[in-house]
Structures are given as C-alpha cells and as structure tokens.
Amino acid sequence: MAARDLQERIKKLIVDRRLPSGAPLPTEPELMEFLGASRNSVREALKALQAMGIVEIRHGFGTYVGSMSFAPMIEGLAFRTVAGHYRGEDSLLQLLELREAMESGLVSRLAGRLPGADLAELGALVDRMEEQAAEGAGLAEIDRAFHATLYRGLDNVLLSEVLEAFWDAFHRARRDLVDAERDPRITCHQHREILDAVRSGDSPRAERAIRDHFGDIRARLTATTAPAPPESRARHDERV
C-alpha cells in the first residue's frame, strides 16, 4: 500500500472516531492489523503525519492525536518566502499583500462591533506600545498581540489562527531577509488610528487605516529588500 494511502486512512480513522487532540491512537500492532500494512510502513506513515502536526509520537508511551497547529504551514511559508527572495522573486512583498488583503477585508466588519472589554484591551496595548517606543524597546510582540486581539472579535477561531500564521510567517521571513528601520512613533500612531476607527464605527476609516499601515511597511520593504547571496549572509552570521 502506498505511503500516502496509509496516511489518508489514519487521518480517516481520526475523523471517523471523532478523536480530539491528545487522544490516544490504536497501538502500532493494532494499526498494522487495521491497515493491513507492515510495521515499517505504519511507522513511516505516522512520522509523516507527525511532521504535519496531525499525530504526536511519544516514545515509550504511544501515538496520540496531535495539536493540528499551523506550525508546519508557517515553517513552509516562511522558508518558501526566503527561498523565493533569493531567486529574485518579490516573495516577501507578495506575502505582505496576502496579509493586507485579508486584514483590510475584515477590519471593516469589526467597526462599531467590538465589545467594550476588547476595546479596552486594545487601548491598553497601544498605551504599552507607546511606552515601549519611548524607551526604545521592540514593538513586535505588542504589535502581534494587537492584531490577534482585534480579529478575535470576529469570533472565528480558525480565521484567527490563519491570520496569526500569516503574521508569524511574514515576520520570520522578514527577520531573515531585511533589517528595516522604522520610527516607532509611526507604528504607534497607525495602531492608535486603527483602534479609533474601529471604536467609532467608521468602516471606511478603519479599512483606510489598515491600508496605510501596510502601505508604510511596503514602502520600507521596497527600499530594503535587494537580494543578497546566501553565502554572504552565512559568512556574516558566523560566530568566532
């Protein structure tokens, strides 16, 4: 039986038995009998599914349904972006455009609809962003928390996870490729504007604020993303 067929049958078993994350799978001998496959074939199929986050192999304890996170997708997307960049593609800008298309299309739905608790949390995040900017500290984690909290208001867990995955992939790829300087006051102002627009219920203003935010990132990336040979980066990163 082909390896792919075994993987699909194990996935179907998880679905058919309604197994949640963390639930134990049948033992290896039970899977061999159920699938009609050899021990090596079952192990290879499980290893492949583990790489996708679908199962988790705990040596000495058994195999369990995995967390099914977006980690493999993030890893692949970030790597594809970096590799595309070194092939001369505008892959980082393309990933940014994908994020912009999703966020600008969603933020107008949030205007005037976020509960007071979420608005208060967003306000506290922008306040903290401004404090850290004044101290010269990095803003990446607060930026991430702001966007995650903002779209949490859509009450769609899968969508929130997808947006988080694209955010993570973009920033990991950007960290590997460019070191774009940015005035932290601009970052703070843009997030304050997004919050004010959403709080006021002004959908066009909210969408415009998101597009301005991404437009600023795009302008800085365009100025700093000339491809450099990977060999030169390797020499630069060597430790002595």
Side-chain angles (χ1 to χ4, degrees), residues 17-72:
R17 298 189 183 182
R18 313 292 196 270
L19 298 178
S21 294
L25 286 175
T27 64
E28 196 173 84
E30 289 171 340
L31 284 174
M32 290 166 57
E33 181 178 355
F34 175 75
L35 298 169
S38 69
R39 185 182 301 273
N40 284 342
S41 296
V42 169
R43 285 181 175 177
E44 289 303 313
L46 290 173
K47 286 179 182 177
L49 293 174
Q50 179 172 239
M52 294 181 246
I54 294 173
V55 306
E56 178 187 356
I57 300 171
R58 303 177 191 172
H59 296 289
F61 295 93
T63 304
Y64 298 78
V65 179
S67 62
M68 303 187 200
S69 74
F70 283 98

Side-chain angles (χ1 to χ4, degrees), residues 1-161:
M1 184 179 296
R4 179 72 184 206
D5 291 337
L6 286 178
Q7 294 170 35
E8 292 302 318
R9 290 187 63 190
I10 295 172
K11 286 157 63 177
K12 187 174 186 301
L13 180 150
I14 293 171
V15 172
D16 289 347
R17 298 189 183 182
R18 313 292 196 270
L19 298 178
S21 294
L25 286 175
T27 64
E28 196 173 84
E30 289 171 340
L31 284 174
M32 290 166 57
E33 181 178 355
F34 175 75
L35 298 169
S38 69
R39 185 182 301 273
N40 284 342
S41 296
V42 169
R43 285 181 175 177
E44 289 303 313
L46 290 173
K47 286 179 182 177
L49 293 174
Q50 179 172 239
M52 294 181 246
I54 294 173
V55 306
E56 178 187 356
I57 300 171
R58 303 177 191 172
H59 296 289
F61 295 93
T63 304
Y64 298 78
V65 179
S67 62
M68 303 187 200
S69 74
F70 283 98
M73 185 187 83
I74 294 168
E75 194 71 35
L77 189 56
F79 178 78
R80 188 247 178 269
T81 301
V82 172
H85 173 83
Y86 286 124
R87 291 195 300 267
E89 302 171 6
D90 290 332
S91 53
L92 191 59
L93 287 170
Q94 290 169 12
L95 184 54
L96 178 68
E97 287 176 358
L98 184 55
R99 281 190 59 210
E100 180 181 4
M102 293 185 68
E103 294 202 29
S104 62
L106 293 169
V107 71
S108 61
R109 294 170 52 187
L110 296 168
R113 299 179 184 177
L114 285 186
D118 284 3
L119 290 171
E121 186 174 345
L122 288 166
L125 286 168
V126 177
D127 289 344
R128 187 147 53 105
M129 187 180 288
E130 291 169 344
E131 291 171 2
Q132 291 200 192
E135 297 169 359
L139 303 180
E141 287 308 309
I142 301 179
D143 190 342
R144 180 185 193 133
F146 178 92
H147 286 262
T149 303
L150 179 64
Y151 296 107
R152 186 178 66 199
L154 292 170
D155 197 24
N156 184 322
V157 174
L158 181 59
L159 179 59
S160 294
E161 289 181 358

Side-chain angles (χ1 to χ4, degrees), residues 202-222:
D202 190 335
S203 295
R205 180 186 171 193
E207 184 175 345
R208 187 165 58 251
I210 282 286
R211 290 198 180 278
D212 287 346
H213 178 46
F214 279 99
D216 176 57
I217 299 172
R218 183 183 298 103
R220 287 181 295 105
L221 287 181
T222 301

Side-chain angles (χ1 to χ4, degrees), residues 165-192:
F166 281 123
W167 195 100
D168 198 17
F170 175 80
H171 282 271
R172 287 178 60 179
R174 182 175 123 179
R175 181 187 61 214
D176 287 346
L177 293 175
V178 298
D179 183 17
E181 293 293 330
R182 185 181 200 184
D183 186 340
R185 294 170 298 181
I186 295 176
T187 301
C188 296
H189 172 74
Q190 289 172 343
H191 286 80
R192 179 72 69 184

